[in-house]
Each structure stands twice: as structure tokens, then as C-alpha cells.
Amino acid sequence: MPIAFSPDTQLLASTSRDDTNNDAESIIIRDIESSERVACITGHTGNIYRLCFSPCGRFLASGGKEDGTVIIWDVGSWEHIKAYTGYGKSDMIPSYSPDGTLRVAAVSASDDIVTVWDLEKNEKLYTADSHVSVTFSNGSQLAYHPYGYEFLEVWTLDNPTPRRTVQTHISFVDTSESLIFSQDRKTVVAEYRIGSVLLWDIASRQSRPAILTESASKNQRIHVSSEGELYVTSIHKNTVKLWKVGSCGSPIAEFTNNEPVSVAAFTPINSKLASAHEGGNLIVWDVQSGNKLREFSHPLQTPDDSNQVWKLVFSPDGKHLISEAAYSPNARLWDVERGEEIQEFPSKEFEYIGTFSPCGQSFVGNTDKNIILWDVKHREIVTTLPFLWLGAYEFAYSPCSSYLACGGTDPEGILLWDLKRCKIYKRLQLPKGCQGVHSLRFSSCGQYLAFGAAWETGLEKVPVCLWEVETGKRIVTFWGHPTDIQAVAFSPNNELLASASYDGSILLWDLTPYL
């Protein structure tokens, strides 16, 4: 909901909806000192997108949402002074310059175009392709996010050529697999929610893009070979590119299809890349030749923007592929070598699918009540863990596929399941006040398990814990992040533990005193 302070900070404008007219919003004016409502302004026929006081404090401008309308109000009498209309189906962002000139950034709801207008002169000042993120300040500065790219563009009235600024740490690491160390232990690699991959130099604490080109697409994902080599896939509209981290210039490979790409996966072991396209079309590409190896069709019950294949996972040997969509039937398993579907997993059987075991013989998932282990070779459920969970969404395999760690929102803590004996190995109790598990990771040697908690009411800091797997002993608990721990990662020599939080920060913990 938009809000705006008057220049002297004595008034606060916000919006409200009148129960008698659900299609229109009103503007509520409150006196800051008394907290009392001093006015309720009506006049808009729909939602209000942005509010802005003039520098002199005599006027209030309100921009409509998707109606191309800006209305000017007199501060004090709160009467309607003037309306500007006819700017199409646009979200209107009015902004006064310091000298009182009113301009507006109109964001088209239909074609992702943002246009800056001088309202008094009805003069178009600037037009650009944009995405949903747009801000307009001082009547002369426009910042916007070009669709599909990792940079912001900033336009100013006195400079017709916009300048680009690379987004860095303005987001957070997305999943538990989105944080890793380089093999030389000098760099932390982080995959961010905004879709870019950054390399953080441990010594200098400085970051740089994983893809060293200004035009690199967003929707980037990390992929690691068994030798520790790092690759990144990037998506822009209907094209997927594959890059090797640290290399300059052109990508290793580029694949284009007619439909927009929703997600991609890469398996370095046999150089295959899979891409999921709008409508459920799946393509497996040969990276060396650039040819299509396989095409599959993942049926979508409601094929629209909200229901696309959002997850692709190759088995460690690259012979199998899991695809998962937002709605039922949500998951399927494919035989890449034979080019056939192996199994459909209805939502009632698998609400969420995790990942393959390191040996590739099984993968884990869960319903709303049970954890399920599925055998790929025999195409059957190996184990349904007989426990009622409040939610189990974090899984981690030990490197030798001996144990499976399961965590979610469970008062009994983390479950360590013995995969060879098919029984509970241990329960790991969480620190007092914690129930939610946000991230799990085994060390490369398999001797240790790291855990990052979800924030709970009453926690000033959120714990990061380290357990010894053989004994179940909690070795150390670190307290540093103020909110959810999105991912944890061990350095190759286990001397450092990295934890990434929803607050956008990555902390490094020294493990040498404890191991």
C-alpha cells in the first residue's frame, strides 16, 4: 500500500478501501503528532499505485493502478484540483522535481514498457523496456530493471543515456544447494534469488559476477562437476546458455527453442543440458554437438504462467531426469538414455521431491505426513518413514549414501536415517526454542552435519549447529544471523563453515578449534 509524508513530516498519506465500494480506494490523511485522521479523500475509481506531496507542501498527487490517471489534490481543503488521464492501462508513479514540476513514470501493464512524461506539457521524455521493479524520484531520476537481465538501469533528466549498475548483494541465497566453496578454498560461490551467481573472495570479502559479461542473462544456476569445476546456466526468454566459471568471453554452449524457458539443468559427467519450456516441453541437449538428444512432454493440468515445470534434476550419472511442476500431476521421472517416461508421481504420493542420492540409486520426497524413499532401479518405494511430521522439506545425503538427514518443522529435531539398514540411526535435538530446519549439509568426509535454523518467535539470533554424525554429539552452535538460514556449506578441508541468511549476508565460521 502506498504511503507518503508531507515535506514537513506533519502529515502522512496512505490508502484505504471503503467497504461500500470495493472497486475504489480512498486516501487517508493523518496528523503525525496526534495520530488522528484529518481527511478521507475519494475520487479514484480503482486502486491507487503511488502518492507524492509537492516540495512546497501545498499539493498531493495520486497515481492510479492500471488506469493511466493522476489526480492533484489541495492540501488543507483536500479538494480535487486537476486530473491527468489518457495514459493507457498503466501504473502511474507521480513525482515532483525540487522546483515543483510534476512528472510521471507510467508503467504499462501489458507490454513491460515504462515511459516518463511531463504532465503539464504532455511531453514524452523517455521510454524503456522494463520489468516489475521501477522507481521514480525527484521528478528526474528513473531506476528500472530490464526484463531478464541482472543489471539495473538509471536514467536522469539531464543525461539521455542511461547508466547500468550491476546488482550484487541486494538479495539472498535461495536454496540449501545454492552455496558452495571452490576447490582451492579461496572463494565462496552463491546463487541468489534474483537469479545471479556471485563469487565472494574470502580474503578481500569482495564479490564479482560468475559470468564476466554485461549482457549475461538472469536466472543463473550453479552446477558442480565431480572434480569441483564450476559451471553456470543462464536463461533469457527462449535461450539457455552454459558458462564455465572464471572463463572470459563466449559461453560454452547456447540452446534456443521456440518456447520460453522456465528452468534448466546441467550434468557435467556426460555433458547433457536439459531445458523446460512453456507448456511442459522438455528438451535434453548434447553440449558438445549442440543437438537435441531427447524431447519429453510433461503434461500440465493448467498450462499457464503459474503452472510451469519449475524444477529439473539430473541423476549423478546423467541417465535419469526428474521434472516437477507447480500443480498436479506435479512430478515425473524420465529415462534419458532410452527416451521414455519411467514414472508419474501424483501429488498425493509426492508433495515435494528432493534430490537423488550420491550413488543415484534412489531419491527422496515427502507428502504432508510421510517421508518417502523411492528406488530408481526397481521403480518402487523402498521406505515410507512411519513418522508424522509437521513438514519435512530439507534433505541431505551423506557422500557415501549411508545416511539421509531429514528436517522440517518437527519438535523432535532432525532425523538421521540409516539407508543401508532402513532404520532410524539417530535423532538430533535442536537448540532450545528452535523447531524449523531451513538447511542441512554433510561435510565431504561424511563425519559432520551442519544445520541452519528457521527463525522462531523469541529468537534474537538464529542458530547454526554442527554435529558429529557417529556420536550424534552437537559440537558447536554459532549465533550470528538475525533470521532464517537459507544455506550452509563446508570448505573442502572442513576448516570453514559458511552460512547464508535471508538477511542477505554470508557468515564464515572457523571450525578448527572444534574438530
Side-chain angles (χ1 to χ4, degrees), residues 1-7 9-15 27-30 32 50-54 59-62 94:
M1 297 174 65
I3 60 173
F5 283 97
S6 62
T9 68
Q10 297 302 302
L11 299 174
L12 178 66
S14 62
T15 60
I27 302 172
I28 305 300
I29 309 296
R30 293 188 181 273
I32 295 295
R50 201 63 56 90
L51 298 169
C52 177
F53 281 93
S54 63
F59 308 107
L60 173 68
S62 56

Side-chain angles (χ1 to χ4, degrees), residues 460-478:
E460 293 185 7
K461 297 291 184 179
V462 178
V464 176
C465 300
L466 182 69
W467 281 277
E468 186 177 53
V469 174
E470 183 178 355
T471 63
K473 175 186 176 183
R474 193 196 313 164
I475 300 173
V476 63
T477 301
F478 299 112

Side-chain angles (χ1 to χ4, degrees), residues 279-291:
N281 185 31
L282 310 179
I283 301 176
V284 179
W285 308 84
D286 182 273
V287 171
Q288 302 299 327
S289 67
N291 297 326

Side-chain angles (χ1 to χ4, degrees), residues 245-388:
V245 172
S247 62
C248 300
S250 303
I252 298 173
E254 181 175 334
F255 305 101
T256 301
N257 198 53
N258 295 329
E259 304 91 1
V261 183
S262 56
V263 68
F266 173 61
T267 170
I269 195 168
N270 49 18
S271 295
K272 292 187 179 76
L273 186 144
S275 56
H277 298 261
E278 191 175 274
N281 185 31
L282 310 179
I283 301 176
V284 179
W285 308 84
D286 182 273
V287 171
Q288 302 299 327
S289 67
N291 297 326
K292 292 182 182 179
L293 293 177
R294 301 293 181 196
E295 286 196 62
F296 304 112
S297 180
H298 186 127
L300 302 174
Q301 191 174 39
T302 55
D304 53 35
D305 290 342
S306 64
N307 188 28
Q308 297 295 335
V309 175
W310 68 276
K311 184 176 184 178
L312 288 176
V313 181
F314 272 110
S315 60
D317 58 10
K319 295 180 180 180
H320 298 96
L321 180 70
I322 290 175
S323 61
E324 188 169 2
Y327 305 124
S328 62
N330 64 330
R332 291 175 184 261
L333 178 65
W334 311 89
D335 188 316
V336 176
E337 288 193 332
R338 297 183 179 182
E340 62 184 21
E341 179 182 338
I342 295 178
Q343 187 81 15
E344 173 191 335
F345 300 97
S347 297
K348 64 181 180 180
E349 295 182 14
F350 275 85
E351 185 177 272
Y352 171 82
I353 287 183
T355 187
F356 285 93
S357 62
C359 62
Q361 296 179 3
S362 65
F363 62 84
V364 66
N366 69 276
T367 65
D368 59 346
K369 294 182 178 180
N370 297 302
I371 301 171
I372 297 172
L373 201 64
W374 206 83
D375 187 287
V376 175
K377 181 179 180 180
H378 298 96
R379 304 184 183 183
E380 62 183 11
I381 294 175
V382 178
T383 303
T384 300
L385 304 189
F387 305 103
L388 297 178

Side-chain angles (χ1 to χ4, degrees), residues 72-89:
I72 312 301
W73 311 89
D74 180 87
V75 173
S77 68
W78 305 113
E79 292 181 353
H80 172 283
I81 296 177
K82 190 171 183 177
Y84 299 91
T85 60
Y87 293 90
K89 193 177 180 182

Side-chain angles (χ1 to χ4, degrees), residues 405-483:
C406 308
T409 307
D410 190 340
E412 294 190 43
I414 297 168
L415 171 68
L416 277 183
W417 182 258
D418 189 318
L419 291 168
K420 296 179 179 178
R421 298 177 177 82
C422 282
K423 66 177 186 179
I424 295 176
Y425 179 65
K426 277 184 175 59
R427 281 276 195 177
L428 305 178
Q429 298 300 313
L430 305 184
K432 185 177 181 181
C434 293
Q435 291 188 4
V437 176
H438 250 211
S439 52
L440 292 169
R441 185 74 68 90
F442 281 93
S443 61
S444 58
C445 62
Q447 298 179 43
Y448 308 104
L449 177 69
F451 143 83
W455 181 83
E456 302 280 349
T457 302
L459 288 179
E460 293 185 7
K461 297 291 184 179
V462 178
V464 176
C465 300
L466 182 69
W467 281 277
E468 186 177 53
V469 174
E470 183 178 355
T471 63
K473 175 186 176 183
R474 193 196 313 164
I475 300 173
V476 63
T477 301
F478 299 112
W479 303 85
H481 293 288
T483 188

Side-chain angles (χ1 to χ4, degrees), residues 69-326:
T69 298
V70 175
I71 301 177
I72 312 301
W73 311 89
D74 180 87
V75 173
S77 68
W78 305 113
E79 292 181 353
H80 172 283
I81 296 177
K82 190 171 183 177
Y84 299 91
T85 60
Y87 293 90
K89 193 177 180 182
S90 299
D91 297 331
M92 305 295 279
I93 308 175
S95 178
Y96 283 96
S97 67
D99 64 4
T101 302
L102 180 60
R103 302 185 181 99
V104 68
V107 185
S108 173
S110 59
D111 55 11
D112 293 327
I113 299 293
V114 57
T115 304
V116 179
W117 294 85
D118 186 312
L119 288 178
E120 290 292 337
K121 298 178 181 179
N122 193 29
E123 179 184 356
K124 185 185 296 186
L125 302 175
Y126 182 70
T127 300
D129 292 327
S130 180
H131 196 34
V132 294
S133 302
V134 176
T135 188
F136 187 46
S137 63
N138 293 327
S140 60
Q141 296 175 317
L142 177 76
Y144 58 94
H145 177 195
Y147 181 81
Y149 291 98
E150 65 174 6
F151 52 78
L152 299 175
E153 285 193 335
V154 179
W155 170 87
T156 56
L157 187 64
D158 58 356
N159 187 356
T161 303
R163 66 181 187 274
R164 290 179 177 177
T165 175
V166 177
Q167 297 181 28
T168 54
H169 46 285
I170 60 174
S171 184
F172 55 90
V173 169
D174 197 12
T175 67
S176 57
E177 294 84 22
S178 301
L179 190 69
I180 58 174
F181 280 84
S182 61
Q183 284 295 99
D184 61 8
R185 307 187 299 276
K186 295 180 180 180
T187 306
V188 175
V189 185
E191 177 187 301
Y192 284 83
R193 181 71 174 267
I194 59 172
S196 62
V197 176
L198 294 182
L199 310 179
W200 288 94
D201 183 81
I202 294 175
S204 66
R205 304 182 188 180
Q206 298 297 312
S207 69
R208 67 185 189 277
I211 303 175
L212 302 177
T213 174
E214 190 176 39
S215 61
S217 304
K218 287 192 59 178
N219 300 316
Q220 299 172 11
R221 294 291 180 265
I222 308 170
H223 310 276
V224 188
S225 72
S226 56
E227 292 78 27
E229 295 179 310
L230 301 176
Y231 298 86
V232 173
T233 53
S234 64
I235 296 171
H236 179 55
K237 296 183 178 179
N238 61 340
T239 299
V240 182
K241 296 180 182 180
L242 177 66
W243 313 76
K244 187 170 182 179
V245 172
S247 62
C248 300
S250 303
I252 298 173
E254 181 175 334
F255 305 101
T256 301
N257 198 53
N258 295 329
E259 304 91 1
V261 183
S262 56
V263 68
F266 173 61
T267 170
I269 195 168
N270 49 18
S271 295
K272 292 187 179 76
L273 186 144
S275 56
H277 298 261
E278 191 175 274
N281 185 31
L282 310 179
I283 301 176
V284 179
W285 308 84
D286 182 273
V287 171
Q288 302 299 327
S289 67
N291 297 326
K292 292 182 182 179
L293 293 177
R294 301 293 181 196
E295 286 196 62
F296 304 112
S297 180
H298 186 127
L300 302 174
Q301 191 174 39
T302 55
D304 53 35
D305 290 342
S306 64
N307 188 28
Q308 297 295 335
V309 175
W310 68 276
K311 184 176 184 178
L312 288 176
V313 181
F314 272 110
S315 60
D317 58 10
K319 295 180 180 180
H320 298 96
L321 180 70
I322 290 175
S323 61
E324 188 169 2

